[in-house]
Amino acid sequence: MPRSGIAWYGVFAFAMSLVGYGTTRGADRPPAIGKTAPDFTLTSQGGTPVSLHAYRGKWVVLYFYPKDFTSGCTIEAHNFQRDLPQYEAKNAVILGVSAQSSDSHREFCAKEGLSFKLLADTDHVVSSAYGSLTNVIVTKLAVRHTFLINPEGVIVKEFLDVNPRKHSLEVLAALTQLQQLGIGK
């Protein structure tokens, strides 16, 4: 391989490691566990506004992901969809957030059979507020982070090192444990 090809491959591999495994955080730090989750209103794949405060009284799995139609993001979304009935039985909703448009989210949901809400953070305000934004070469992407928010709107668990293949089961286990302990009924 020519030397310039090796250099570009190295830059690409480094950039993808940042996005794919959530090893870096944006300039802003995630909100602290025990603090009220920052409220927001974003547009869903259906073109309707979705506000975090509308889910008071329910558990919220707020997950940030880099990009629609990429392998890791598709695996993670499929697993949340697979486990959705278990989340619903635990009074929990799943909200996915990335920087793509609501049109992109609509196409992603249609192609992949997703029924939970994906939210468009095209101006990066929410991703930044949750310390889940990174710069990759010339674009900004959400970092793969998840926040478990109790029915009172308080962050009770964060996942900052996410493996998309097993993440839904990890979140479900944490939710089960927190509910068994009586945290945030």
Side-chain angles (χ1 to χ4, degrees):
M1 179 180 283
R3 181 167 260 184
S4 64
I6 292 170
W8 277 110
Y9 177 77
V11 168
F12 178 76
F14 175 72
M16 293 316 297
S17 73
L18 297 179
V19 173
Y21 298 103
T23 57
T24 65
R25 297 182 184 181
D28 298 319
R29 300 200 51 81
I33 292 174
K35 298 292 183 186
T36 299
D39 196 20
F40 59 82
T41 300
L42 293 173
T43 304
S44 74
Q45 73 268 26
T48 57
V50 173
S51 298
L52 181 61
H53 67 262
Y55 293 99
R56 287 287 171 103
K58 289 191 168 283
W59 288 85
V60 175
V61 176
L62 180 65
Y63 87 97
F64 293 84
Y65 67 98
K67 195 169 182 184
D68 296 337
F69 300 105
T70 58
S71 62
C73 298
T74 300
I75 289 166
E76 185 175 27
H78 279 182
N79 290 342
F80 276 125
Q81 183 66 43
R82 175 200 66 209
D83 299 334
L84 187 59
Q86 293 176 71
Y87 285 104
E88 290 171 340
K90 295 181 176 299
N91 192 35
V93 298
I94 298 168
L95 301 175
V97 178
S98 78
Q100 280 68 57
S101 69
S102 58
D103 289 338
S104 176
H105 292 339
R106 182 174 49 256
E107 292 170 16
F108 185 50
C109 288
K111 181 176 187 276
E112 302 301 335
L114 306 176
S115 62
F116 55 88
K117 302 252 189 258
L118 295 183
L119 309 177
D121 186 23
T122 56
D123 61 5
H124 313 111
V125 171
V126 177
S127 298
S128 183
Y130 281 84
S132 299
L133 185 66
T134 192
N135 290 311
V136 178
I137 306 173
V138 296
T139 190
K140 291 182 179 185
L141 296 174
V143 176
R144 201 180 307 279
H145 289 167
T146 299
F147 300 88
L148 189 52
I149 302 167
N150 74 12
E152 290 78 38
V154 175
I155 297 171
V156 293
K157 179 84 173 160
E158 61 183 17
F159 301 85
L160 304 178
D161 187 21
V162 172
N163 176 335
R165 293 192 185 282
K166 60 183 180 175
H167 186 53
S168 180
L169 292 175
E170 291 172 331
V171 175
L172 200 53
L175 175 60
T176 300
Q177 182 180 34
L178 289 165
Q179 288 180 338
Q180 287 172 347
L181 293 173
I183 297 173
K185 294 183 183 201

